[in-house]
Amino acid sequence: GAVVSQHPSRVICKSGTSVKIECRSLDFQATTMFWYRQFPKKSLMLMATSNEGSKATYEQGVEKDKFLINHASLTLSTLTVTSAHPEDSSFYICSACSSGVLYNEQFFGPGTRLTVL
Amino acid sequence: AQKITQTQPGMFVQEKEAVTLDCTYDTSDPSYGLFWYKQPSSGEMIFLIYQGSYDQQNATEGRYSLNFQKARKSANLVISASQLGDSAMYFCAMRPFSNYKLTFGKGTLLTVNP
């Protein structure tokens, strides 16, 4: 199956710093990538949808200036948590899909655990 | 808008027995796909099985089968011959064919006892 990687897998940072998380599709071209946030023992909440070469579409309640998403190529999307605070601590998961797949299955990355001190 | 309901926060099953995880959904879209994912403690989301709304037969993938009852808007996951490695969170999800967005249920934590 298709492989999606995320980097870093775990990050600890001080409050006020910015953190960039990368999501890469390793063996396919991802026309669309998604960013999810998951709190402990909770479900995945979609934050935004990004299409290569265009601005991301954010879900209601997600701050665009707080969570910057860039989808510069068909294999890479980045999520930057700007001026991170302890409440931003969470598990961030990306997924990617490509057009033409039978049922447009989303392939998930392994996730990034962010801890803001 | 789509809504996924998983009413079982936790389930226990004995090793080698079968278990059913419940999922009901609500959508106004006429065409959609239903998915089940497994999330072990390591966090990665593992795709298990897919059912399209127009599929006449229930989907099966090895020990996983999806009991799809369209009129009742339910898509229960059946795991046969449970193994210790099946212990994990299980999420039901839905995506309308009109867009790519997946909506997830709250999940069911399955524990397989030896």
Side-chain angles (χ1 to χ4, degrees):
Chain A
V3 179
V4 175
S5 69
Q6 270 184 252
H7 178 81
S9 58
R10 188 179 295 265
V11 57
I12 301 172
C13 69
K14 292 182 179 180
S15 185
T17 60
S18 292
V19 176
K20 180 184 281 188
I21 303 170
E22 291 186 349
C23 177
R24 293 182 184 274
S25 57
L26 299 185
D27 51 3
F28 69 101
Q29 292 187 326
T31 50
T32 304
M33 287 184 168
F34 302 86
W35 286 97
Y36 297 86
R37 182 174 182 175
Q38 185 179 29
F39 289 105
K41 299 185 179 180
K42 297 292 185 182
S43 187
L44 279 73
M45 299 301 296
L46 179 65
M47 298 174 66
T49 303
S50 74
N51 293 294
E52 184 264 339
S54 61
K55 289 185 178 180
T57 303
Y58 290 81
E59 295 300 299
Q60 194 171 12
V62 177
E63 298 176 59
K64 300 179 183 180
D65 297 332
K66 176 73 170 176
F67 299 100
L68 300 178
I69 291 171
N70 183 276
H71 193 161
S73 77
L74 284 171
T75 59
L76 174 64
S77 176
T78 58
L79 167 68
T80 302
V81 183
T82 61
S83 186
H85 291 284
E87 57 266 30
D88 299 324
S89 298
S90 192
F91 192 58
Y92 293 89
I93 308 176
C94 72
S95 70
C97 65
S98 65
S99 59
V101 177
L102 179 63
Y103 45 77
N104 300 116
E105 177 188 344
Q106 289 189 25
F107 302 98
F108 285 84
T112 297
R113 194 163 303 279
L114 170 64
T115 303
V116 185
L117 302 177
Chain B
Q2 287 74 42
K3 184 177 180 181
I4 297 285
T5 302
Q6 293 180 255
T7 57
Q8 307 154 314
M11 286 284 286
F12 292 88
V13 66
Q14 211 64 28
E15 192 178 8
K16 299 181 184 178
E17 292 185 351
V19 63
T20 298
L21 306 183
D22 295 340
C23 173
T24 57
Y25 60 93
D26 194 20
T27 181
S28 56
D29 282 82
S31 306
Y32 49 88
L34 295 155
F35 302 78
W36 276 92
Y37 289 89
K38 172 184 177 181
Q39 187 180 42
S41 57
S42 55
E44 75 268 31
M45 296 292 284
I46 301 169
F47 166 75
L48 297 178
I49 197 166
Y50 165 84
Q51 177 86 43
S53 58
Y54 289 114
D55 293 342
Q56 296 295 315
Q57 292 190 320
N58 287 343
T60 59
E61 288 286 348
R63 294 187 298 111
Y64 304 108
S65 60
L66 200 152
N67 185 359
F68 180 46
Q69 297 187 45
K70 192 172 183 179
R72 298 178 65 179
K73 294 190 175 180
S74 74
N76 298 340
L77 176 70
V78 180
I79 305 174
S80 62
S82 297
Q83 302 171 356
L84 295 178
D86 293 335
S87 294
M89 279 291 286
Y90 288 81
F91 291 98
C92 179
M94 192 187 90
R95 179 180 79 74
F97 287 176
S98 57
N99 63 61
Y100 293 122
K101 293 185 183 180
L102 270 176
T103 300
F104 287 86
K106 292 186 176 182
T108 296
L109 180 62
L110 176 66
T111 302
V112 181
N113 294 318

